[in-house]
Amino acid sequence: MTTTRTAAPGKIAQRIGLVLQVLVIAFLLFDAISHILNLQVVKDASVELGLRDEMAPITGIVMLVVLVLYAVPATSILGAIVLTGYLGGAVLTNWRVEKPLLSTVFFAIYVGIAAWGALYLRDERVRNIIPLRRT
């Protein structure tokens, strides 16, 4: 089995990846904290989605654990994998109650693409796992 090495990204790509990763973490950290605090807006959204509002703090704690995994370079790929599963649940939950497709249902997909895109730009291991090739 041969290992295909991909070219290292330039400094600009690495900086874009870092900025993208920080934005993903900041957004999800804000979301996690609002769930942990069980703010009224979170309670209202939970009811609208058919979830019990007492689930919100646990969901926020789970997201914090996932964010730590994603933010630490040694575990960032594991964090991205777990984050992908979490975001998949968000897609299904929003789709089930017929939220707008492009703005709400797919928003979690956009976050997932940003999370993986950030890692792709910064981490050779990800580029080796997901080689994008010109044909």
Side-chain angles (χ1 to χ4, degrees):
M1 176 180 196
T2 60
T3 303
T4 304
R5 295 188 61 89
T6 58
K11 288 187 186 268
I12 293 174
Q14 288 184 344
R15 287 185 183 137
I16 291 170
L18 178 61
V19 168
L20 200 53
Q21 189 170 16
V22 167
L23 289 173
V24 167
I25 291 169
F27 171 75
L28 293 175
L29 183 62
F30 174 79
D31 187 56
I33 291 170
S34 68
H35 279 76
I36 290 169
L37 296 175
N38 208 13
L39 301 175
Q40 188 60 46
V41 67
V42 173
K43 291 179 184 182
D44 295 343
S46 295
V47 169
E48 190 177 330
L49 293 171
L51 304 172
R52 297 185 323 270
D53 63 353
E54 66 266 10
M55 294 170 67
I58 296 167
T59 304
I61 291 168
V62 169
M63 177 49 63
L64 281 180
V65 171
V66 171
L67 284 176
V68 168
L69 289 171
Y70 181 68
V72 174
T75 58
S76 60
I77 294 174
L78 175 61
I81 292 168
V82 177
L83 177 61
T84 301
Y86 181 93
L87 294 171
V91 168
L92 183 60
T93 300
N94 283 295
W95 193 6
R96 185 183 65 78
V97 295
E98 300 179 355
K99 291 287 185 180
L101 190 66
L102 295 177
S103 64
T104 305
V105 174
F106 283 1
F107 187 77
I109 294 172
Y110 307 147
V111 172
I113 290 170
W116 278 103
L119 287 184
Y120 188 88
L121 291 171
R122 299 186 66 221
D123 192 326
E124 182 180 357
R125 298 172 302 168
V126 175
R127 290 190 303 279
N128 287 332
I129 296 169
I130 311 169
L132 300 178
R133 298 183 182 131
R134 292 184 180 167
T135 55

